[in-house]
């Protein structure tokens, strides 16, 4: 199954950088569709599986959770292929999250997750971005936003974890992607309106790129 859309713009970044807010605000600007982050596409049972595994630090294979989430994302796009799609995170964040859990002894089977995404890529069963906006923010601003929002998992709120996640993302962007299809935007000093305007300006400078080969090469670089 091949999924084609006018443009797929992915917003990556840590909790508190403004991904969801900025993504939703951008929908009106580009007259597109909004695809929410992964946990929003999971039913209650699968969400509970993921959270229990996370909390108990097991080495369970959760690849069925991510496969189900990708299937739900694809279903949401069935009737939305002729307009831009703005995506709140992609497999970049899923893999980075798995790597962080391994590094900080939170369990999970990142090798199984990577194999799952390799299979999804090889069979064309996944929506890939053709432009990426990586949102960053100073740690003090991020922590203030997380306190105000009050719904972030403590592990993802940690400064050392957020830095590690950004390093994994940036390693992929810088090493595997053409420089003209992704951009980093620091939202620390901007209001929502200002951040949305800045992102819109930066998006105009980006060129859409086919990223299947880049993602495939990146996943193949992991050794677990």
């Amino acid at each position: 199954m091949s999924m084609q859309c006018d443009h797929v713009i992915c917003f990556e970044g840590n909790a508190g950088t403004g991904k969801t807010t900025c993504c939703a605000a951008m929908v009106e600007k580009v007259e597109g569709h909004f695809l929410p982050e992964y946990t929003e596409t999971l039913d209650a049972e699968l969400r509970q599986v993921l959270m229990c595994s996370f909390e108990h630090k097991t080495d369970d294979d959760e690849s069925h959770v991510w496969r189900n989430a990708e299937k739900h994302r694809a279903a949401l796009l069935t009737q939305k292929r002729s307009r831009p799609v703005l995506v709140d995170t992609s497999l970049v964040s899923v893999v980075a999250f798995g790597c962080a859990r391994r590094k900080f002894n939170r369990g999970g089977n990142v090798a199984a997750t990577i194999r799952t995404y390799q299979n999804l890529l090889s069979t064309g069963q996944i929506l890939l971005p053709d432009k990426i906006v990586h949102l960053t923010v100073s740690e003090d601003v991020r922590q203030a936003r997380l306190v105000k929002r009050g719904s972030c998992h403590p592990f993802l709120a940690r400064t050392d974890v957020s830095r590690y996640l950004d390093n994994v993302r940036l390693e992929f962007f810088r090493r595997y992607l053409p420089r003209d299809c992704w951009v980093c935007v620091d939202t620390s000093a901007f209001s929502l309106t200002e951040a949305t305007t800045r992102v819109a300006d930066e998006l105009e400078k980006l060129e859409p790129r086919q990223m299947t080969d880049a993602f495939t090469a990146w996943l193949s670089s992991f050794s677990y």
Side-chain angles (χ1 to χ4, degrees), residues 14-28:
N14 291 318
T17 56
K19 297 185 306 299
T20 303
T21 304
C22 191
C23 200
M26 284 291 297
V27 167
E28 290 188 20

Side-chain angles (χ1 to χ4, degrees), residues 142-155:
R142 190 178 83 92
Q143 291 296 334
R145 290 177 180 176
L146 293 179
V147 169
K148 183 177 180 180
R149 138 178 148 179
S151 61
C152 181
H153 194 285
F155 180 66

